[in-house]
Amino acid sequence: MITQEDLSRATGWRGDAEFSVSTLDLAGNNPGSAILGFLDDGRFLPGAARNPALSAVLVSEQLEVEARRRLGRDITIVVVDDPRWHFYTLHNEIALAGPLENEPTVVHPDAVIHPGAFIDGVGVHIAARAVVEPNATVLRSARIGEGAVVRAGSVIGTPGFEHKRTSRGILSVTHDGETRIGARTEVGSLTTVARGFARRHTELGADCRIDSNVMIAHGSHLGDRVFVAGGTVISGSTDIGDDVWIGPGATLIDRVKVGVGARVAIGSVVFTKVAPGARVAGNPARASRASNPRPRSIENPDD
């Protein structure tokens, strides 16, 4: 549980509000358990008021009166000078004390690790017959599946791009999720796969093929047998279905969804949902031809 004592220890806050919650989350999110959120913009009050999971909320002095009126008596109002800074500073302290920061690294004896690779001493699991090539970096949070290959110079589990502007300066947010590489998946040279964040792990399914110089941001989920060509940028919390092909230099914005068997053409910029079996191209990406429900072969994704 997270209480006012944790907030006080992390941020130096001194107040008389009391709360006990299961986790931290944005004030409008409902993870199914009691949360502590924050509000520094009145536009988000309606969503917070409708959220049954919101048990306590950090608010600024400017929002206190309106928050008490809109949120009711069942939600504990905690007044702080900068809700965003207090929320993420508390998040950082909790994340740094998490199990992935302390558990010993486990490498299966049948894994092949090049002497020039770096494997973090804590929080890594590498399964049988996995291969880690020279100058690859495998950081805490990484879960490398059986028979997976991490090519030379790639980085698995790097902190993602999550920074907050606050009244006390820019605050970098600690990543606390896992980075899962599925069985027999290959991650190309100089590719980065960011660590999971805010209870959403980064996941690459089984039998994926990721080319060189690809960026996969925190919390993205790739299904099985996904092919990603070089130079692609997959932004945070993206969902990509099984058997998808993504062409060279494509960009997928955060939280976009790509359906099973879809194809994203070279250089496309994907802003909206891509239907299963669709083929999209351009900036912004649009359907270039009728959907093709026939699954493409793994041996030749272009057939």
Side-chain angles (χ1 to χ4, degrees), residues 148-200:
V149 178
V150 179
R151 298 289 183 197
S154 57
V155 182
I156 308 298
T158 184
F161 192 77
E162 190 75 20
H163 311 280
K164 304 299 180 183
R165 298 182 187 275
T166 77
S167 63
R168 307 187 189 195
I170 296 173
L171 179 65
S172 296
V173 181
T174 300
H175 284 60
D176 54 355
E178 295 179 2
T179 313
R180 301 174 177 174
I181 309 298
R184 301 172 303 281
T185 283
E186 295 186 11
V187 178
S189 298
L190 303 178
T191 283
T192 58
V193 183
R195 182 175 179 175
F197 171 62
R199 296 159 302 284
R200 182 177 166 100

Side-chain angles (χ1 to χ4, degrees), residues 245 263 279 294 296-297 299-303:
W245 167 265
R263 178 184 176 88
R279 299 192 173 196
R294 180 178 64 86
R296 292 183 295 280
S297 68
E299 291 77 12
N300 181 9
D302 289 323
D303 91 6

Side-chain angles (χ1 to χ4, degrees), residues 284-298:
R286 295 184 174 89
S288 58
R289 55 190 290 184
S291 296
N292 176 14
R294 180 178 64 86
R296 292 183 295 280
S297 68
I298 297 305

Side-chain angles (χ1 to χ4, degrees), residues 224-246:
D224 297 337
R225 301 174 300 279
V226 174
F227 283 40
V228 182
T232 292
V233 174
I234 298 175
S235 300
S237 299
T238 295
D239 284 299
I240 299 173
D242 297 343
D243 300 305
V244 167
W245 167 265
I246 300 175

